[in-house]
Amino acid sequence: MAFVDATRQLGRAGLFTLSVFRASKPTPDFFRELIREIYKIGARSLPIIAVGGAFVGLVLTLQGYRTLATFGASNSLSTLLGLSLYRELGPVLTALLFIGRAGSSIAAELGLMRATDQITALGLMAIDPVGKAVAPRFWAAVLSVPLLTGFFCSFAIAASYLEAVHVIGLDPGYFWPALKDNVDFVDDFCVALLKSGVFGAIAALVAAYVGYHAEPTIEGTSVATTKAVVNASLLVLMFNFVMSALLFK
């Protein structure tokens, strides 16, 4: 019975995803909603991304220097930092922070729209609720998460440079050249943006699906928000493993 329920939910999620793509029509109203959602879930997430990236860079520098110094390879600190950030930590941690900040908001908003019959009202007015309430949030997440990943990695590298050079005493002549020579633009940076776009799509789809189909009660909205954060976080971690196995050989 559990297998049947899981298969049914998977099928509903697939149909919901198709409906989001069908409802994504380039109209002036759609672009207005898209810009508004980019600001809400993208720009407003920047402070937590900046703080998170800075402290991740600091702790990677501290732990990486201790490990590399043991083998006399402390000059490779920036290489370790750059590859770790762009290949794994940057896209994944940005997506998890985004899910906690914006994914929960998407699920809660759609859950409240369901509880207060706003979604039903849109349908009665011959307005596609998926196109009005879901599609702009989905594309806003797809566009925002790669940009937030870039900010996350930038703040992490800047914080790492300050700690490595001005606190630990690493020669700045080794930091930037090693980072430039060992981090490839296509294989590392562009792949990080690709993974981030996929993670943004996963976060938005899971949050929107759970919120859109929530029980029309306040408790249903609360349950939907929790499910959105947990399920989206787990899917991001799973897809990260699959994409890393396929893209990094």
Side-chain angles (χ1 to χ4, degrees):
M1 192 64 181
F3 175 77
V4 174
D5 291 338
T7 304
R8 184 183 296 113
Q9 288 294 329
L10 185 62
R12 291 180 63 187
L15 293 175
F16 181 79
T17 302
L18 292 177
S19 69
V20 172
F21 283 102
R22 283 198 301 265
S24 301
K25 300 177 181 179
T27 62
D29 183 63
F30 174 81
F31 284 113
R32 282 194 297 269
E33 289 293 324
L34 176 63
I35 293 173
R36 187 172 71 89
E37 292 299 329
I38 289 176
Y39 172 74
K40 282 178 57 180
I41 68 177
R44 288 187 174 180
S45 299
L46 187 56
I48 188 174
I49 295 297
V51 174
F55 279 98
V56 167
L58 292 174
V59 74
L60 280 178
T61 302
L62 181 63
Q63 298 298 332
Y65 178 78
R66 290 175 176 175
T67 303
L68 293 174
T70 304
F71 301 98
S74 57
N75 291 332
S76 300
L77 177 62
S78 61
T79 300
L80 173 65
L81 177 77
L83 294 178
S84 300
L85 283 173
Y86 286 113
R87 291 194 172 193
E88 299 296 337
L89 294 180
V92 172
L93 293 180
T94 300
L96 294 179
L97 290 173
F98 179 84
I99 290 168
R101 163 63 179 81
S104 59
S105 175
I106 293 173
E109 288 177 355
L110 293 175
L112 286 174
M113 289 180 68
R114 174 67 68 184
T116 55
D117 292 327
Q118 295 181 52
I119 292 178
T120 303
L122 288 174
L124 292 175
M125 292 186 292
I127 299 175
D128 183 10
V130 175
K132 179 69 175 178
V134 178
R137 290 174 168 86
F138 169 76
W139 290 110
V142 172
L143 295 174
S144 296
V145 176
L147 296 176
L148 292 174
T149 298
F151 279 109
F152 183 95
C153 295
S154 298
F155 279 102
I157 292 173
S160 173
Y161 173 80
L162 293 175
E163 183 180 16
V165 174
H166 298 287
V167 178
I168 296 176
L170 191 69
D171 188 346
Y174 288 106
F175 191 91
W176 296 115
L179 186 65
K180 178 182 177 181
D181 293 339
N182 293 285
V183 176
D184 187 79
F185 177 76
V186 175
D187 292 338
D188 297 319
F189 182 77
C190 292
V191 168
L193 296 184
L194 173 63
K195 292 174 72 173
S196 299
V198 174
F199 296 161
I202 292 171
L205 283 175
V206 172
Y209 174 77
V210 173
Y212 190 86
H213 294 94
E215 292 293 329
T217 61
I218 299 300
E219 182 181 359
T221 301
S222 175
V223 171
T225 304
T226 302
K227 287 175 62 178
V229 173
V230 173
N231 293 345
S233 299
L234 291 176
L235 281 176
V236 163
L237 296 174
M238 293 177 188
F239 272 81
N240 177 62
F241 170 75
V242 174
M243 295 185 70
S244 295
L246 295 176
L247 295 174
F248 299 121
K249 298 180 180 180

